[in-house]
Amino acid sequence: MTGQWIPIYVSAPFFYVLAVLMSQEKANPVDHARLAGLFVDASSGWRLEHSWGGGEPERMYLASGLGESGGSTFAGGQQLVYRRQMHGLEAYIELDQRLVQALDVHFMPERSAYCRINGSGDIEAVIKVERLPPDKNGHRGHLVSVRAEDLGKYMAVTGTVLAAKFDFTRVDHKKIGFDGWDGAERDSFKAPDLVHHSGRVPGRCSFANGWIIVRPAKTVAEVMEEENAAVDRSKRQHVNFIIQDIRHGRIVTCSAAPGASTNYFDAVEGLPFELSPVFFRAEVMAKYKADTDKYQIDGRMIRCREAWELRSFDINEAGQVHTYLQDLSHLPYEEQLYWKSFNEEPKAPISKRSYTSDFLGEWTDEIDPLDELKRLTTTLDGECFPWWVTRGQAVRLAAQYPSLENAAEWGDEILHLDQLVVEGFKDSELRKIAAFRGATVAANWRSLRLIEAILVATGNSPEQAKAIMVPLQRMHALRSILTAHTGGATKGEEQRKAIAEHNTYRAHFEHLASGVLDGLTAIIAALDGDKAVT
């Protein structure tokens, strides 16, 4: 198997391939005489057989279309492709579930393939199920193909080889119509793993049909060796990073490979600790924030689908992203290279939060307003208040802190924060609560104005209600200004104001999120008793 893909089923005018698995015992050597007389058909499948006669009692049993039991050539083998059809339903393809589940693949209609998540977190096709372009009569065939590496591994483990029946016919329809193979020049070919018969009428038509055996390129032992190597970090490639060697009080370059650093228990002489901090420019986070379908930033962790995770990261006072050498060692090599491109020497120590939790082993007393807002909205989602629209995990994961100096990112994150909080309020239900509380509201008021009126109606002074709502109103106004398609003086003024008052966009965002957290907490307390207002 030298190609990347192996066709296991092709059904088209004048072109047919159907491959099945047969036991290696039956294929050493292949009984080509017996194989040549066999008929395999993708339309044949499993069935409940009901038979009687022949001196045997009436009986029912499960039978396969391939004949995978008894003395059959395919005993111990496996049919891979099934062509299913029912009146009123277009023919479709099913695959043997043993193959599908063993390769851990799932059908994705939009890709016309059975796919999985690879080590880099990308969706890759493993088995393609494609419709061929229509011929001149509108007939469309099928093509099913499997990645050679995966099929080879499956065959090695199951002790099988691939036996493919092929039948090709070529006719020049521009000449006199086809009238049979009388007078055709015929030929035969036989090798240990290939037998075919062919014929041709020069200038008019030709055919070839036979069987080809495809054997796995690796043994079970070699497959197991590869599996073991894949999970052994010492056998992977690793990148060198600039690290803060806290053990020896220096800045050095060190590999992320196991063995290049040590833990506190072994404390191998001369090696830095695995928990040596590594620092990066803030831009390293850009790709993870941009592709929320592939990546999840959850608290201090980054996940890439089911492929990998960075267990801990944080941001220091200089705006640098930092993590630990040990955590980097668990990333795929390509991901380590990405982080390497942003690696730099530390400009400030690791965050106080990281030091407290990771080195002192204590709970930090710092309140992270964004984390708290996510926790509160999770609680609201579970309480099913009529005035609250469920935000969901995707909205929460989208809300992140901006970097220190990126104005566009700052605007995007204020948008996400507004979507997390303000878009969660349901105007129609708030209007009912306001009426129930005896508040006077205008017909064109939206959620924030309605909530302010409800706060006053529940005993807060107008000044107190205004103070509670100001951070949310400020956030909502900034969303409109900063996400406008045109810059404008107002947008620039807000950017300058944020820097002048807070030095960085991140500091401004933290201040704003803190006020929104206080406001949302007060709002929940005021509306908590209104679950049943109708």
Side-chain angles (χ1 to χ4, degrees):
M1 296 189 297
T2 57
Q4 185 179 7
W5 294 90
I6 299 291
I8 59 173
Y9 179 62
V10 185
S11 176
F14 311 108
F15 196 104
Y16 181 78
V17 174
L18 178 61
V20 298
L21 295 180
M22 64 186 298
S23 168
Q24 289 184 8
E25 295 179 359
K26 298 282 187 177
N28 289 319
V30 176
D31 186 346
H32 283 293
R34 190 172 184 182
L35 194 63
L38 294 178
F39 175 75
V40 290
D41 182 8
S43 299
S44 298
W46 292 90
R47 64 193 181 278
L48 295 176
E49 192 75 75
H50 187 181
S51 63
W52 57 87
E56 297 288 338
E58 183 178 3
R59 59 199 182 278
M60 287 193 72
Y61 56 92
L62 181 67
S64 78
L66 188 61
E68 300 173 8
S69 59
S72 165
T73 301
F74 294 121
Q78 182 179 345
Q79 184 172 342
L80 300 176
V81 179
Y82 299 88
R83 183 179 184 273
R84 307 291 307 283
Q85 191 170 15
M86 185 176 73
H87 178 73
L89 186 66
E90 187 177 7
Y92 62 97
I93 298 298
E94 285 184 353
L95 297 180
D96 190 287
Q97 283 298 301
R98 288 171 289 182
L99 176 68
V100 169
Q101 295 188 30
L103 297 184
D104 193 22
V105 293
H106 305 267
F107 188 67
M108 301 183 70
E110 68 277 14
R111 296 174 182 258
S112 298
Y114 287 82
C115 305
R116 67 175 172 221
I117 306 296
N118 65 17
S120 298
D122 295 317
I123 298 173
E124 67 176 6
V126 178
I127 307 174
K128 296 180 182 179
V129 182
E130 302 171 276
R131 294 302 303 271
L132 298 174
D135 63 11
K136 64 178 182 180
N137 296 316
H139 297 143
R140 299 187 66 185
H142 286 94
L143 168 62
V144 180
S145 51
V146 186
R147 281 188 180 273
E149 181 179 359
D150 292 280
L151 183 58
K153 181 187 295 186
Y154 184 84
M155 289 192 292
V157 173
T158 57
T160 57
V161 302
L162 194 73
K165 170 70 176 179
F166 60 90
D167 192 341
F168 313 138
T169 303
R170 298 179 64 192
V171 177
D172 186 350
H173 295 282
K174 295 180 180 179
K175 297 186 178 181
I176 300 174
F178 177 72
D179 58 1
W181 297 104
D182 292 340
E185 301 173 1
R186 297 177 180 270
D187 193 12
S188 296
F189 176 86
K190 183 176 182 180
D193 288 340
L194 174 63
V195 170
H196 66 76
H197 305 283
S198 61
R200 70 187 187 98
V201 177
R204 292 184 58 188
C205 52
S206 63
F207 74 87
N209 59 65
W211 287 85
I212 185 171
I213 307 299
V214 180
R215 301 179 185 274
K218 299 172 183 175
T219 64
V220 177
E222 290 170 331
V223 171
M224 290 191 293
E225 184 178 355
E226 287 186 354
E227 293 280 318
N228 291 333
V231 297
D232 186 347
R233 288 190 296 128
S234 67
K235 295 183 179 180
R236 300 181 192 170
Q237 285 184 288
H238 293 274
V239 170
N240 294 327
F241 291 97
I242 301 169
I243 70 167
Q244 182 182 19
D245 181 0
I246 54 177
R247 184 183 188 187
H248 302 102
R250 59 185 181 174
I251 305 300
V252 297
T253 297
C254 181
S255 171
S261 57
T262 186
N263 58 47
Y264 288 104
F265 303 102
D266 296 333
V268 177
E269 186 66 29
L271 296 182
F273 287 134
E274 295 171 337
L275 282 180
S276 296
V278 192
F279 298 80
F280 305 90
R281 300 196 310 276
E283 292 80 6
V284 72
M285 299 297 296
K287 86 168 185 177
Y288 305 118
K289 291 182 177 181
D291 190 351
T292 55
D293 178 58
K294 183 176 180 179
Y295 305 105
Q296 291 185 352
I297 304 173
D298 191 0
R300 295 176 57 193
M301 181 181 293
I302 302 173
R303 293 188 180 91
C304 177
R305 291 184 172 136
E306 302 167 0
W308 58 262
E309 64 181 24
L310 184 72
R311 298 173 183 175
S312 177
F313 80 95
D314 213 336
I315 299 175
N316 65 10
E317 291 185 357
Q320 291 177 296
V321 174
H322 60 81
T323 184
Y324 302 112
L325 189 61
Q326 174 181 280
D327 293 329
L328 290 167
S329 74
H330 290 276
L331 299 183
Y333 179 65
E334 294 76 13
E335 207 64 30
Q336 291 185 32
L337 288 173
Y338 172 77
W339 282 79
K340 170 71 174 178
S341 66
F342 297 94
N343 188 205
E344 61 182 3
E345 294 187 7
K347 298 176 181 178
I350 63 174
S351 68
K352 180 181 177 182
R353 176 173 65 172
S354 294
Y355 178 74
T356 301
S357 62
D358 300 341
F359 289 91
L360 299 182
E362 300 174 357
W363 292 105
T364 178
D365 57 2
E366 290 186 9
I367 294 177
D368 185 313
L370 183 56
D371 282 352
E372 284 300 302
L373 281 168
K374 292 181 178 183
R375 183 188 64 79
L376 271 183
T377 58
T378 300
T379 300
L380 287 173
D381 284 0
E383 290 288 343
C384 299
F385 289 104
W387 48 265
W388 181 255
V389 180
T390 300
R391 309 318 297 134
Q393 186 69 351
V395 175
R396 276 184 283 276
L397 289 173
Q400 302 294 334
Y401 283 108
S403 59
L404 297 185
E405 307 295 342
N406 192 321
E409 187 179 343
W410 173 60
D412 289 341
E413 294 308 338
I414 287 178
L415 166 65
H416 294 150
L417 186 63
D418 190 72
Q419 290 172 332
L420 176 64
V421 178
V422 175
E423 289 190 10
F425 296 120
K426 194 170 184 178
D427 291 0
S428 60
E429 295 298 327
L430 291 171
R431 198 170 294 280
K432 293 178 184 179
I433 295 172
F436 180 77
R437 294 288 183 180
T440 302
V441 300
N444 62 342
W445 283 8
R446 301 297 302 275
S447 62
L448 299 185
R449 291 287 299 276
L450 292 169
I451 293 171
E452 186 173 346
I454 293 169
L455 290 172
V456 173
T458 55
N460 292 280
S461 68
E463 292 75 21
Q464 289 172 326
K466 185 67 175 177
I468 291 171
M469 297 305 300
V470 161
L472 285 84
Q473 292 166 344
R474 176 67 175 147
M475 172 181 64
H476 194 59
L478 277 175
R479 167 186 175 169
S480 300
I481 294 170
L482 299 178
T483 58
H485 293 296
T486 57
T490 306
K491 185 174 185 177
E493 289 169 3
E494 292 294 350
Q495 292 169 347
R496 288 189 290 273
K497 182 178 179 181
I499 296 297
E501 294 180 357
H502 301 278
N503 294 322
T504 69
Y505 291 121
R506 179 184 174 90
H508 170 272
F509 185 91
E510 288 179 349
H511 175 79
L512 181 63
S514 181
V516 171
L517 173 62
D518 292 340
L520 182 59
T521 302
I523 291 168
I524 293 172
L527 297 179
D528 190 34
D530 293 297
K531 290 184 179 180
V533 174
T534 58

